[in-house]
Amino acid sequence: MTFKDEIERRRTFGIISHPDAGKTTLTEKLLLFGGAIQEAGAVKSNKIKKGATSDFMEIERQRGISVATSVLAFEYNGIKINILDTPGHKDFAEDTFRTLTAVDSVIVVIDVAKGVEEQTEKLVKVCRMRNIPMIVFINKMDREGKDAFDLLDEVEQKLGLKVTPLSFPIGMGYDFKGIYNIWEKNINLFSSDNRKDIEETIEVSDLASPELDNLIGDAAANTLREEIELVDGIYPEFNKEAYLNGDLQPVFFGSALNNFGVRELLDCFVDIAPKPRPKQSEERMVNPDEDKFSGFVFKIHANMDPNHRNRLAFIKIVSGEFKRNAPYLHVRHNKKVKFSSPNAFFAEKKEIVDISYPGDIVGLQDTGTFKIGDTLTEGEVLNYKGVPSFSPEHFRYINNADPLKSKQLFKGIDQLMDEGVAQLFTLELNGRKVIGTVGALQYEVIQYRLEHEYGAKCTYENLNVHKACWVDPDDEKNEEYKEFLRVKQRFLAKDKRNQLVFLADSAFSLQMTQQKYPSVKFHYVSEFE
C-alpha cells in the first residue's frame, strides 16, 4: 500500500457527551465489531468483573466513570479507526478540550431520557468553533424517554446544530420494535436477547409494502410510515459536503448496551467520516500528504503501568511518516530526539510500531522532555497552536502530610502537572504552592494518585480565590505596573512556565483592579498573543 492509501484509510474521531450517556459503552461495542475485544466488559453489570477495557486507571474502575482520555484503535472493513474516548465529567473537561484538538470528527452521544445536558452543550460549542464534523447518536432507546421529534428539536435548539436523521426508531422503551435505517433503507428488528452479538437486518425497499405490517404489526407500521413521511418533509437531505464543513449533522438512534444500531452508525461513519485533515500551524497550513513528518503532543499520561514510573506522551501525527529510531527535532528545545519504542494503542495492549501514518496516535516514552502542545518535526520549525490552559475555578493550598516524603511529593506534583491534570501556582509572597483545577473531583484524583503512584501523602487547605488571570502589562517599567506589583503583592503567583498570575479573591476586586490599573491586561487563557 502506498503512503497515500494509508492516509485514505485512516479515521480518527472522539466520542463526547455528558457523563453517563454511554460513551464508554459505545466505544466497547465499536471495538467488538472491529474484533478488537471478544466480549465487552458490560459497563453496568457486575457479573463480569473485568470492567470496561477503555478505563484502565484504578480509580476509573471504582467509580465506573472515565477520568482520562483513552486511545483505542481497530480495523473495520479495511479502514483503520482511531477512537479517543473522553471523560464526560466536567471536572475533567480540560482533558477533553485538549483531545478535541487531535480529532478529525466527533460522535456526540445523547441519552434519550435526559436529552441534551450542559456538558454536551459546552463540548459541542468547542467543536463548532473548530468546524469539526459531528454525528449524533441517540442512545438507550430500549428505555422510556423523549419523543424522537422532540429530541431532534432539542438538539437543533440547544446545540445550534442542523440535523438530518439517517435512522429512525420504531417505538421506544417497552414498545421498542427496532430501527428503520434511512441511509440503507432496511429494517433492524430488536430482540432484547443479549446473547446475540450482531443482529440480522431485513431489506425493506418500499415502506408501503404489506411485508412491513407482518414484521412489526399494523399499528407500528402505520406510525412508522407517517413518521418517515414527516422526516422526509421537514429535514434536509443528507449532503456529505455540508457534513464535512460542519454545517449538517446526521443523527442515529440505538442502544449501545444491547449492541443495537451501532453497526449502522459504524457503517455510515466509515463511509462519510473525514480522512486526516490539514492542520493550521503558526507558520503555515500543514497537509497530511507532505513527505516530511510533523506532529504534536496533546496529552501526557504518567504511570500507565504502576510498576514502572513511565510517562507516555501522546502524539497526533499530522503529516508524513513517523519512523522508529529516526531522529526528529523537538522544536521547543531545538534538540534532535530518537524514539526506540513508539507505541500504538489497542485498549490495554500497547504494541511497538515501526511506521505510523497521519491520523494515527502514537505514545512515546517521555523522560520529562515533553509538555502539552509541543511539536516534533523532521527539521522545520513549526508550532501547532490551540492546546490551551484554561483559567481554573477551584483553588487549594497543598501541604505535605508526611515530612519524610517531601521529595516524592514534589516529584509527583511536578509530573501530574505536566500531564495537565491541574495547574500549579507558587505564591510570590511566601512560596507556598497552590493547586488550581477546573473541577473539585480533580483534588481527589491528585491525592489518590500521589499516594498510590508516588507514595506521598498530602492535605489541602482552602484558599479564597475567584479566578486566576494571567498578567500582561503594556510596559514593564511603567510606574502604574510597579504600583500594581506592590499593592497586589499578596495576590500574585507564578505558574509553571514562570508567567505572572493574579489571583483575584472576588469578581468585584478583579473589576476594581482592572479599573485602577488600565494599562495592565488580564487574560483567562494562558496562550495569549
Side-chain angles (χ1 to χ4, degrees):
M1 285 179 80
T2 62
F3 174 53
K4 286 256 164 72
D5 293 337
E6 287 289 355
I7 300 179
E8 293 281 321
R9 67 183 210 99
R10 295 280 188 281
R11 307 275 185 278
T12 305
F13 72 99
I15 298 188
I16 59 173
S17 81
H18 197 78
D20 277 347
K23 285 183 298 298
T24 303
T25 314
L26 179 63
T27 310
E28 297 271 287
K29 290 308 192 293
L30 291 172
L31 288 177
L32 199 63
F33 281 110
I37 45 177
Q38 296 315 306
E39 152 190 53
V43 184
K44 279 277 161 63
S45 105
N46 295 329
K47 291 191 195 99
I48 308 174
K49 276 281 179 278
K50 59 179 255 205
T53 17
S54 46
D55 290 356
F56 53 73
M57 275 154 77
E58 194 55 42
I59 191 160
E60 302 184 297
R61 299 217 162 104
Q62 287 172 7
R63 304 207 164 192
I65 59 173
S66 305
V67 175
T69 302
S70 55
V71 182
L72 307 141
F74 64 93
E75 299 251 341
Y76 179 77
N77 291 351
I79 297 280
K80 171 140 195 275
I81 298 181
N82 298 309
I83 306 184
L84 296 163
D85 179 22
T86 64
H89 280 262
K90 68 167 183 294
D91 298 10
F92 307 107
E94 222 176 313
D95 198 44
T96 308
F97 287 140
R98 290 203 196 102
T99 305
L100 289 177
T101 59
V103 299
D104 298 312
S105 65
V106 163
I107 291 183
V108 186
V109 184
I110 291 175
D111 181 334
V112 66
K114 298 182 183 149
V116 176
E117 298 169 275
E118 60 152 346
Q119 204 47 37
T120 324
E121 291 184 46
K122 281 190 190 153
L123 293 168
V124 167
K125 203 165 128 194
V126 177
C127 296
R128 288 189 49 216
M129 261 161 44
R130 306 209 163 111
N131 287 332
I132 303 177
M134 285 179 262
I135 294 181
V136 180
F137 181 69
I138 295 181
N139 195 8
K140 307 194 180 180
M141 288 309 297
D142 53 323
R143 301 193 184 174
E144 296 298 326
K146 305 188 178 183
D147 173 69
F149 287 107
D150 292 350
L151 266 172
L152 292 170
D153 285 350
E154 193 175 327
V155 170
E156 291 208 307
Q157 281 154 12
K158 282 196 180 165
L159 301 179
L161 302 180
K162 208 174 157 172
V163 300
T164 176
L166 290 186
S167 74
F168 210 80
I170 308 173
M172 126 179 353
Y174 185 67
D175 302 324
F176 185 52
K177 295 274 198 311
I179 286 173
Y180 175 68
N181 187 341
I182 302 176
W183 174 246
E184 294 171 0
K185 293 221 179 335
N186 59 26
I187 273 189
N188 210 334
L189 294 180
F190 177 69
S191 68
S192 56
D193 172 13
N194 276 344
R195 285 191 299 278
K196 286 201 316 192
D197 271 345
I198 293 163
E199 348 67 36
E200 54 288 347
T201 53
I202 300 161
E203 288 284 326
V204 177
S205 43
D206 181 19
L207 277 182
S209 75
E211 271 176 75
L212 188 63
D213 300 272
N214 304 338
L215 283 174
I216 57 176
D218 299 350
N222 288 328
T223 319
L224 179 68
R225 290 181 186 124
E226 283 165 19
E227 290 185 328
I228 297 296
E229 208 172 299
L230 254 175
V231 168
D232 289 343
I234 307 176
Y235 296 104
E237 285 237 336
F238 176 71
N239 171 340
K240 196 165 164 178
E241 283 291 291
Y243 156 74
L244 291 177
N245 295 335
D247 298 332
L248 183 68
Q249 284 76 26
V251 180
F252 286 88
F253 291 86
S255 157
L257 193 62
N258 294 309
N259 208 346
F260 196 77
V262 179
R263 196 188 53 79
E264 286 76 2
L265 174 70
L266 190 57
D267 284 345
C268 175
F269 173 81
V270 165
D271 217 13
I272 65 175
K275 301 188 290 291
R277 314 171 94 191
K279 191 165 171 67
Q280 183 68 47
S281 68
E282 283 175 26
E283 290 72 16
R284 61 190 185 85
M285 196 69 152
V286 181
N287 284 311
D289 51 11
E290 296 176 15
D291 304 336
K292 294 243 161 82
F293 161 78
S294 73
F296 65 98
V297 179
F298 66 93
K299 174 182 162 55
I300 291 173
H301 198 313
N303 309 330
M304 292 196 47
D305 179 351
N307 306 330
H308 309 289
R309 294 266 168 276
N310 61 349
R311 282 175 37 157
L312 274 185
F314 288 66
I315 292 206
K316 161 83 190 278
I317 299 174
V318 181
S319 66
E321 295 177 359
F322 178 81
K323 296 191 180 71
R324 184 173 154 191
N325 282 329
Y328 291 115
L329 175 72
H330 182 316
V331 175
R332 188 170 51 92
H333 286 198
N334 200 8
K335 267 212 241 50
K336 288 271 186 175
V337 250
K338 275 186 179 178
F339 301 99
S340 57
S341 55
N343 287 308
F345 298 96
F346 216 64
E348 290 186 321
K349 300 188 285 293
K350 294 185 308 213
E351 299 161 355
I352 290 182
V353 282
D354 289 326
I355 295 189
S356 305
Y357 298 94
D360 280 343
I361 283 151
V362 186
L364 302 179
Q365 296 293 338
D366 172 24
T367 47
T369 41
F370 288 115
K371 285 189 176 162
I372 287 177
D374 279 350
T375 308
L376 277 179
T377 65
E378 272 189 39
E380 186 184 356
V381 175
L382 287 174
N383 287 290
Y384 289 109
K385 49 174 190 285
V387 184
S389 276
F390 295 88
S391 165
E393 297 180 6
H394 300 258
F395 298 87
R396 292 183 194 171
Y397 285 119
I398 181 163
N399 300 326
N400 187 359
D402 179 354
L404 297 174
K405 291 278 170 86
S406 57
K407 192 174 149 201
Q408 283 87 329
L409 181 77
F410 288 123
K411 182 181 171 192
I413 294 178
D414 208 49
Q415 294 210 352
L416 290 178
M417 297 306 136
D418 275 346
E419 251 188 64
V421 177
Q423 290 171 53
L424 185 68
F425 303 107
T426 312
L427 290 185
E428 291 277 270
L429 194 61
N430 51 14
R432 285 191 74 179
K433 302 220 179 306
V434 173
I435 287 188
T437 66
V438 182
L441 208 57
Q442 296 282 44
Y443 290 109
E444 262 176 70
V445 173
I446 293 172
Q447 196 166 15
Y448 180 90
R449 292 186 61 183
L450 280 174
E451 194 172 326
H452 289 86
E453 293 173 14
Y454 298 93
K457 291 190 169 63
C458 68
T459 54
Y460 296 115
E461 222 179 293
N462 277 334
L463 169 68
N464 179 25
V465 173
H466 162 68
K467 264 292 194 202
C469 309
W470 280 269
V471 179
D472 176 22
D474 272 358
D475 174 18
E476 304 212 346
K477 297 184 179 59
N478 174 332
E479 282 303 307
E480 188 178 299
Y481 179 57
K482 283 181 184 158
E483 190 195 334
F484 164 75
L485 292 182
R486 198 182 68 244
V487 174
K488 293 294 180 192
Q489 188 188 3
R490 320 204 328 264
F491 302 109
L492 293 177
K494 287 269 172 67
D495 71 0
K496 254 194 107 162
R497 297 189 196 154
N498 241 349
Q499 287 173 307
L500 191 66
V501 178
F502 171 57
L503 304 172
D505 51 359
S506 67
F508 174 69
S509 84
L510 180 59
Q511 215 176 337
M512 290 305 290
T513 313
Q514 279 169 330
Q515 282 170 3
K516 200 169 165 195
Y517 309 105
S519 76
V520 183
K521 290 196 189 66
F522 299 103
H523 301 274
Y524 289 125
V525 178
S526 65
E527 278 204 346
F528 51 83
E529 307 297 281

